């Protein structure tokens, strides 16, 4: 028995020594180094953001005989990735995983030398994972600020995530607790409650594209928020003004629901916007444009975002200017369609709408 225990301990020490370095590392030149812990002859491909396809990454063995991947310098921000080993997805053991691209993936972050989303205060709010009333599976996240009191009145912000993700994206990738805790403790915004909902509907239907799926599901998502979740929160909390925001696919959901209900939401945040209508000539075909004058809008984009999203932002700005609708525009410098763009967007949206 003692020999078996000793053998297990020795194996654990050997593994720890072989994995003394993190499996995902970023060097001083912002090059990504991935240590696979694989020694056999394999075919390795790096998958993830569009810029991977255009990068000349190197595959070699390190001094321990493990296959490693080294990329050219990567752009700042938070980026998903995964490795294909002989055509099959391989997640790095003991490294954090995230839900993106409709699957579990690894990720890395290139430091932007910003601290607004890092832990800086002991005055920490609470994020709760909750179940929507009368359902057994549908979950959402709720942030309550430090010093929360059931007797106080709080503003409410509703947030939606992007395609291929879920509400946990705002919690993990978005580091929303740090963003909110820091802003509130620094007295840059007033304490608020934040509701993070899943923007996907579980369905057996196979849609032709993301636009058809989003348009088909928006009615159910809107009813869930307006008829179920908000009434429950109104019973539990003293809520004051309400706002709504979302990123990418979620930006359309926030924009559509927000403009359908100006009596509920006074401000709408549209991060990396998309406009869905199935009408090529009229991107606002599904939007109640008569309500636009009743609200204020915040639009944001990464300066290196996909041209498609940049064009949608331009279309929105043109429409708002023609209708003399008040709006705030924000461009995140040197970022793509990823979570640093959306952390910055949320931060600036909160400062704008305080």
């Amino acid at each position: 028995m003692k020999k078996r225990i000793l053998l297990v301990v020795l194996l654990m020490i050997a593994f720890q020594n072989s994995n003394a370095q993190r499996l995902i590392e970023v060097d001083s030149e912002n090059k990504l180094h991935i240590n696979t812990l694989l020694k056999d002859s394999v075919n390795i491909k790096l998958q993830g953001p569009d810029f991977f396809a255009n990068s000349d990454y190197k595959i070699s063995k390190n001094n321990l005989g493990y296959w490693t991947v080294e990329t050219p310098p990567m752009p700042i921000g938070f980026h998903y990735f995964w490795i294909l080993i002989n055509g099959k997805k391989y997640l790095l053991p003991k490294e954090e995983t995230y839900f993106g691209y409709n699957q579990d993936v690894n990720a890395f972050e290139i430091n932007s030398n910003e601290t607004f989303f890092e832990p800086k205060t002991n005055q920490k709010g609470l994020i709760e994972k909750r179940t929507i009333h009368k359902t057994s599976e549908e979950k959402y996240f709720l942030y309550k600020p430090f010093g929360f009191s059931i007797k106080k009145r709080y503003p409410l912000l509703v947030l939606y995530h992007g395609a291929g993700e879920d509400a946990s994206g705002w919690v993990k990738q978005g580091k929303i607790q740090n963003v909110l805790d820091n802003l509130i403790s620094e007295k840059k915004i007033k304490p608020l409650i934040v509701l993070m909902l899943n923007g996907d509907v579980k369905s057996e239907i196979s849609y032709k594209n993301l636009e058809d799926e989003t348009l088909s599901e928006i009615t159910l998502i809107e009813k869930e928020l307006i008829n179920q979740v908000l009434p429950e929160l109104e019973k539990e909390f003293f809520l004051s003004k309400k706002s709504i925001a979302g990123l990418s696919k979620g930006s359309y959901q926030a924009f559509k629901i927000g403009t359908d209900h100006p009596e509920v939401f006074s401000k709408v945040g549209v991060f990396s916007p998309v406009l869905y209508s199935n009408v090529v000539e009229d991107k606002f075909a599904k939007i109640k444009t008569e309500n636009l004058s009743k609200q204020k809008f915040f639009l944001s984009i990464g300066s290196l975002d996909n041209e498609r999203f940049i064009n949608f932002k331009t279309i929105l700005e043109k429409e708002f200017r023609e209708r003399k609708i008040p709006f705030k525009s924000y461009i995140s410098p040197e970022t793509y369609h990823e979570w640093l763009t959306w952390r910055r967007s949320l931060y600036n949206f909160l400062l704008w709408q305080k």
Side-chain angles (χ1 to χ4, degrees):
M1 182 67 179
K2 289 182 179 180
K3 288 183 179 180
R4 288 182 181 178
I5 293 174
L6 179 60
L7 178 60
V8 170
V9 171
L10 290 173
L11 287 172
M12 290 176 64
I13 292 173
F15 178 81
Q16 289 170 354
N17 288 337
S18 70
N19 192 27
Q21 292 181 314
R22 284 199 59 202
L23 302 187
I24 303 172
E25 295 182 300
V26 176
D27 66 22
S28 60
E29 297 179 347
N30 287 343
K31 294 179 181 179
L32 175 66
H33 298 265
I34 303 169
N35 303 304
T36 67
L37 293 184
L38 297 173
K39 288 186 175 182
D40 295 338
S41 179
V42 292
N43 180 275
I44 299 175
K45 289 185 179 180
L46 189 58
Q47 303 284 297
D50 292 341
F51 49 75
F52 275 170
N54 301 318
S55 66
D56 186 20
Y57 53 87
K58 300 175 184 178
I59 300 173
S60 61
K61 281 196 171 184
N62 63 16
N63 58 358
L64 295 174
Y66 296 114
W67 287 107
T68 65
V69 180
E70 178 188 308
T71 72
M74 294 283 101
I76 61 170
F78 181 95
H79 308 292
Y80 298 127
F81 80 91
W82 63 98
I83 300 173
L84 293 182
I85 303 293
N86 297 331
K88 294 183 179 180
K89 187 178 79 169
Y90 172 74
L91 292 177
L92 297 174
K94 294 194 174 183
E95 288 289 345
E96 186 88 50
T97 59
Y98 304 85
F99 189 70
Y101 293 93
N102 287 310
Q103 60 183 323
D104 289 331
V105 293
N106 291 125
F108 65 95
E109 180 141 11
I110 302 297
N111 190 358
S112 62
N113 296 314
E114 295 166 271
T115 61
F116 72 89
F117 53 82
E118 299 297 344
K120 294 193 294 183
T121 177
N122 292 324
Q123 297 181 5
K124 298 185 181 299
L126 176 68
I127 292 182
E128 299 174 345
K129 189 174 184 180
R130 295 179 163 210
T131 302
I132 293 178
H133 185 56
K134 295 181 181 177
T135 69
S136 58
E137 296 184 3
E138 192 61 37
K139 303 291 194 301
Y140 66 89
F141 294 90
L142 191 80
Y143 170 87
K144 295 192 291 190
F146 174 80
F148 170 81
S149 170
I150 199 68
K151 297 179 180 179
K152 292 182 180 178
R153 189 175 293 274
Y154 296 94
L156 175 73
L157 169 61
V158 178
L159 286 176
Y160 284 101
H161 58 84
E165 299 174 332
D166 59 23
S168 69
W170 280 110
V171 179
K172 290 183 69 174
Q173 297 93 299
K175 298 188 176 182
I176 192 169
Q177 174 151 11
N178 293 338
V179 175
L180 295 169
D181 288 346
N182 292 339
L183 282 170
I184 293 170
S185 68
E186 293 164 6
K187 302 189 184 310
K188 292 180 178 178
I189 63 171
K190 294 179 180 179
L192 76 163
I193 293 172
V194 180
L195 168 67
M196 293 157 274
L197 285 165
N198 281 323
D200 290 325
V201 174
K202 293 181 180 179
S203 172
E204 301 298 323
I205 300 174
S206 178
Y207 295 98
K208 184 173 63 175
N209 52 46
L210 182 60
E211 182 167 3
D212 286 349
E213 178 184 335
T214 305
L215 290 173
S216 176
E217 294 177 351
I218 188 65
T219 300
L220 289 175
I221 289 169
E222 185 168 340
K223 285 181 178 179
E224 177 183 80
L225 173 61
I226 301 300
N227 298 340
Q228 282 187 274
V229 182
L230 284 184
E232 288 180 19
L233 295 183
E234 292 278 9
K235 291 178 182 178
E236 185 175 355
F237 306 110
F238 289 113
L239 299 178
S240 56
K241 61 183 180 180
K242 302 178 184 68
S243 55
I244 187 169
L247 66 92
S248 195
K249 171 188 172 180
S251 75
Y252 173 77
Q253 294 168 329
F255 187 52
K256 175 73 167 66
I257 296 171
T259 51
D260 279 353
H261 298 278
E263 78 286 357
V264 178
F265 304 105
S266 59
K267 294 180 180 176
V268 180
V270 185
F271 311 156
S272 296
V274 291
L275 288 168
Y276 293 136
S277 68
N278 274 340
V279 181
V280 176
E281 313 81 48
D282 184 6
K283 293 298 181 184
F284 294 88
K286 305 291 186 180
I287 301 298
K288 293 182 179 179
T289 53
E290 67 272 18
N291 287 340
L292 293 177
S293 61
K294 302 174 184 178
Q295 294 161 303
K296 293 182 179 180
F297 297 88
F298 179 97
L299 310 178
S300 72
I301 197 78
S303 66
L304 301 176
D305 210 327
N306 185 289
E307 185 178 358
R308 175 170 174 259
F309 299 100
I310 294 174
N311 289 340
F312 280 130
K313 180 172 179 285
T314 301
I315 291 170
L316 281 166
E317 289 176 339
K318 182 175 181 291
E319 186 75 14
F320 290 162
R321 288 193 180 100
E322 289 178 354
R323 292 175 176 270
K324 295 182 171 53
I325 307 298
F327 72 94
K328 168 72 174 178
S329 177
Y330 169 73
I331 298 176
S332 170
E334 300 180 28
T335 58
Y336 287 82
H337 199 72
E338 48 82 22
W339 277 98
L340 180 55
T341 295
W342 303 322
R343 292 178 203 155
R344 287 173 171 176
S345 297
L346 175 65
Y347 178 85
N348 284 278
F349 174 76
L350 291 167
L351 290 175
W352 166 77
Q353 68 126 30
K354 64 180 180 179

